[in-house]
Amino acid sequence: MAKVSKINTKKSSKIRIRFAKKSELEEVNCLRKQVHKLHAEGRPDVFRKKFGKKLAQYIYEFFADEQSRVVVAKKDGVICGFASIEVIRKPRSPYNKARTYLKVTEFGVDKKHKRQGIGRAMMEFIKHYAAEKGFDTIELDVWEFNRVAQRFYEDMGFRPCRIYMEFKN
């Protein structure tokens, strides 16, 4: 299992990256609310405005799934970043080969802690975990409106592998 990672950020406080404890999921939900708000504002036609009970409960179900992990970044005893990762197993189909990969399903850094190396440290932790577990691929998706996230992921070495398009009447 990936080890706890300690980094010094630009503000010279130590950030600890590790897997979350169940008792920390409410703090994680506070950050998930920020991410959800960004998505609801960016695509109000897709995302519900309110971060409701079912969405809040989802992190507990995700946490309980043995194929999933929640990563947290802590600074001064406060969770300032999180990522949800899960193992995806795709069976062989008439079109595709069977494959298994790690997927980043959610990722966020508290708006008060942006641009301090926290996201980069979490992504390095995830890359290390993926390599340790034998995954040669990490996938994620990012909404077209979220250019800041796109640049971050590109800086971390991610490249588009397909483009998902829509047509609206």
Side-chain angles (χ1 to χ4, degrees):
M1 183 163 292
K3 295 180 176 86
V4 171
S5 136
K6 295 179 187 175
I7 62 158
N8 290 321
T9 63
K10 296 172 190 171
K11 304 253 180 192
S12 64
S13 284
K14 287 197 178 178
I15 302 295
R16 293 176 54 93
I17 313 295
R18 61 170 172 70
F19 293 114
K21 299 172 187 169
K22 187 174 183 180
S23 61
E24 297 172 316
L25 296 181
E26 274 311 305
E27 262 187 282
V28 169
N29 265 341
C30 291
L31 299 181
R32 291 179 71 234
K33 286 177 186 176
Q34 288 182 26
V35 173
H36 182 77
K37 183 178 182 209
L38 174 79
H39 287 94
E41 289 171 354
R43 284 299 302 261
D45 60 320
V46 174
F47 293 95
R48 295 178 183 199
K49 187 174 184 176
K50 185 179 177 193
F51 185 89
K53 286 182 182 179
K54 285 186 178 181
L55 189 52
Q57 183 60 33
Y58 176 74
I59 197 69
Y60 291 91
E61 296 163 16
F62 189 90
F63 182 85
D65 184 335
E66 62 186 44
Q67 297 299 309
S68 305
R69 299 280 186 272
V70 178
V71 176
V72 292
K74 285 191 95 169
K75 179 179 177 184
D76 300 325
V78 176
I79 292 176
C80 55
F82 82 100
S84 301
I85 59 175
E86 66 181 320
V87 175
I88 303 293
R89 288 179 170 70
K90 295 279 188 173
R92 188 178 81 152
S93 77
Y95 294 102
N96 300 307
K97 295 178 180 181
R99 64 193 193 98
T100 302
Y101 58 94
L102 194 66
K103 182 174 183 184
V104 178
T105 57
E106 291 183 288
F107 193 93
V109 174
D110 188 319
K111 58 187 171 190
K112 296 177 285 199
H113 293 93
K114 297 248 185 204
R115 314 262 333 136
Q116 296 179 23
I118 295 163
R120 180 169 296 282
M122 286 193 307
M123 194 56 75
E124 290 300 335
F125 180 91
I126 292 166
K127 287 178 177 181
H128 177 79
Y129 175 75
E132 186 177 87
K133 294 296 182 184
F135 299 113
D136 59 6
T137 304
I138 301 171
E139 291 188 11
L140 55 81
D141 59 73
V142 59
W143 285 88
E144 189 275 333
F145 71 84
N146 196 346
R147 301 282 191 213
V148 171
Q150 289 174 36
R151 283 191 300 278
F152 168 73
Y153 294 130
E154 288 170 359
D155 287 349
M156 293 302 304
F158 286 82
R159 298 292 173 254
C161 63
R162 65 180 167 256
I163 298 174
Y164 190 89
M165 300 172 79
E166 69 182 351
F167 172 83
K168 290 185 166 217
N169 278 328

